[in-house]
Amino acid sequence: MRYRKPRETGSALPLSGACRGMIITPPGHVLLRDPVNNMQSIDYKSCWNARATSTAQALMAVDGSRDERTAQLTGAYSASQLRAALQLQAGDRVFELGCGAARIGRELAPEVGLWHGLDIAENMLAAARDRLRDQANTALDALTRSRLDPLADASMDKGYCIAVFIHMDKEDMVLYLRDVARVLRPGGLFYFDAWNLAHPVGWRRFDFEVNQAAQQPPGQRKDVARNQFCTPQEVELYVRAAGLEPVLTLTDSPWVQAVARKPDGSSDAALRAALGAAAAQIQYPALWTSLFDCILDAEFRGEPPHSALAALRHCALDDPLARMFRAWIHGAWTQRAADWGAPPDELEQGVNA
Ligand SMILES: C[S@@+](CC[C@H](N)C(=O)[O-])C[C@H]1O[C@@H](n2cnc3c(N)ncnc32)[C@H](O)[C@@H]1O
């Protein structure tokens, strides 16, 4: 495989501030960045604030959504996974650790009692506030360290953290998990994800980072918000060390997806059975992995994702996963129109179908 530094020309990069250089992102998750341009930030807060100086930039930074329509499609996809993973009920008090621009919160808040978003970056919270302005049962708070200080002990029924632990050091992930155990009520549930080092496509994504690191000047610190990776075994170890119990761990994609429960002394057999039955709604399907792999391939070559387009032609127009990928690819393609030409009509048609 040939590795080449991704091209910046025509990309929708948040080039201002210290964390410039995001190149291309897939639905739901920041993908590739150029670490050579990412070395100046020394803390999570300034790094993510610099990426979110407007709502549009914040959406771009959270998952590569170039417009509100794409953000709503990707948010709805993540929300549908969470509905099953957290067995959400109408009265639930739910928090999101690293809520970003409320990409997911906007979709979930109408279905729960309270949605409370927390983030290290005040600029992300400003974008979230903007997008949640019509939703009364929401709260937003800024974090200052790897703890959930604004939340009281045992005050929340459910919580989740998507595409956030992948951007922090393992020590901080464990500190946050410990505090998740503090703020959940006994029997409460928490869902989170991590890049899966033990999956071939997860490893391929990690290998990209390794090759980028090889290009770094000697002695330079690595990006504080770079992508980090875990094995499934490691994820379960962190969950247990934090005082939670793993009740579902899905590993058949580039993601480790985990549901953890705060023990309450009762049996979790019924919950495990329910989550087992809902696993297909929670996990990233083979099509997600295959489209992601196609996009990685295209990104490594600096070319349009033709093989992803070919795969999408076999999908039903109203398939939510396909629609989300079409919207995302359309945005990325439009941004690079100077290099790639106009996006094919089939993308726009597929999104609007
Ligand atoms: C890739 S975005 C994902 C946002 C949101 N979870 C979503 O899926 O749309 C990562 C988010 O994590 C936040 N974040 C990064 N490091 C953090 C930290 N150490 N503590 C809390 N939030 C953090 C960022 O500000 C950003 O909003």
Side-chain angles (χ1 to χ4, degrees):
M1 184 190 311
R2 286 179 303 120
Y3 284 93
R4 194 191 294 169
K5 183 180 165 195
R7 294 191 301 184
E8 293 192 15
T9 321
S11 59
L13 312 182
L15 288 172
S16 63
C19 285
R20 64 194 285 270
M22 196 177 306
I23 303 298
I24 189 168
T25 55
H29 307 283
V30 172
L31 174 52
L32 305 180
R33 282 175 292 116
D34 175 7
V36 175
N37 291 319
N38 265 299
M39 291 301 114
Q40 300 98 330
S41 277
I42 54 164
D43 64 279
Y44 301 120
K45 193 180 276 293
S46 58
C47 176
W48 287 95
N49 270 329
R51 290 178 177 185
T53 53
S54 66
T55 297
Q57 280 205 348
L59 289 179
M60 177 64 203
V62 294
D63 81 330
S65 290
R66 265 97 172 160
D67 52 46
E68 181 64 30
R69 177 184 68 172
T70 307
Q72 288 181 20
L73 285 172
T74 71
Y77 187 82
S78 299
S80 73
Q81 291 175 304
L82 283 165
R83 236 168 253 133
L86 294 175
Q87 306 273 292
L88 283 179
Q89 311 282 325
D92 280 343
R93 298 169 60 86
V94 180
F95 70 95
E96 178 171 355
L97 165 49
C99 65
R103 181 180 69 87
I104 304 164
R106 182 189 173 281
E107 311 306 316
L108 279 187
E111 301 170 28
V112 297
L114 167 74
W115 180 88
H116 197 144
L118 303 135
D119 202 284
I120 200 80
E122 291 83 358
N123 286 351
M124 283 289 180
L125 294 171
R129 201 164 290 117
D130 180 28
R131 298 187 72 244
L132 292 170
R133 58 188 172 278
D134 297 327
Q135 302 197 11
N137 64 330
T138 58
L140 292 164
D141 273 301
L143 302 171
T144 52
R145 53 181 175 162
S146 302
R147 293 181 44 147
L148 300 164
D149 290 325
L151 301 182
D153 294 2
S155 60
M156 305 304 287
D157 299 304
K158 317 265 168 80
Y160 62 92
C161 181
I162 292 186
V164 176
F165 288 148
I166 61 170
H167 292 297
M168 69 176 74
D169 293 335
K170 304 287 172 70
E171 295 88 336
D172 293 307
M173 175 174 169
V174 172
L175 286 170
Y176 271 130
L177 285 173
R178 276 189 201 164
D179 227 30
V180 166
R182 177 184 67 79
V183 305
L184 280 180
R185 66 159 169 80
L189 297 180
F190 185 68
Y191 169 90
F192 67 97
D193 61 16
W195 281 119
N196 186 359
L197 199 55
H199 187 276
V201 179
W203 176 270
R204 197 171 179 222
R205 178 64 187 80
F206 175 62
D207 204 30
F208 174 83
E209 299 285 326
V210 174
N211 283 282
Q212 289 284 78
Q215 297 172 23
Q216 238 180 265
Q220 190 170 47
R221 287 290 302 148
K222 291 185 178 57
D223 178 10
V224 68
R226 71 190 180 283
N227 284 273
Q228 307 230 27
F229 299 73
C230 288
T231 64
Q233 197 183 23
E234 192 183 354
V235 167
E236 293 202 346
L237 196 62
Y238 295 148
V239 167
R240 288 203 173 87
L244 299 166
E245 59 188 17
V247 285
L248 181 76
T249 309
L250 299 172
T251 62
D252 201 14
S253 83
W255 299 98
V256 182
Q257 298 173 269
V259 183
R261 176 178 180 268
K262 180 167 172 174
D264 65 354
S266 70
S267 165
D268 60 14
L271 173 67
R272 284 176 188 271
L275 289 175
Q281 292 159 260
I282 303 167
Q283 70 197 1
Y284 289 97
L287 178 61
W288 195 101
T289 299
S290 135
L291 288 168
F292 179 75
D293 202 23
C294 289
I295 288 167
L296 274 182
D297 233 9
E299 192 62 23
F300 292 157
R301 294 170 201 274
E303 291 170 2
H306 293 298
S307 54
L309 275 190
L312 285 167
R313 274 179 215 126
H314 297 289
C315 301
L317 281 180
D318 59 355
D319 178 312
L321 175 67
R323 197 180 220 176
M324 172 175 80
F325 266 90
R326 286 189 197 105
W328 173 74
I329 294 173
H330 183 272
W333 199 308
T334 304
Q335 218 63 47
R336 293 181 173 190
D339 286 344
W340 295 353
D345 287 344
E346 67 190 280
L347 284 175
E348 184 65 29
Q349 284 160 10
V351 178
N352 292 328

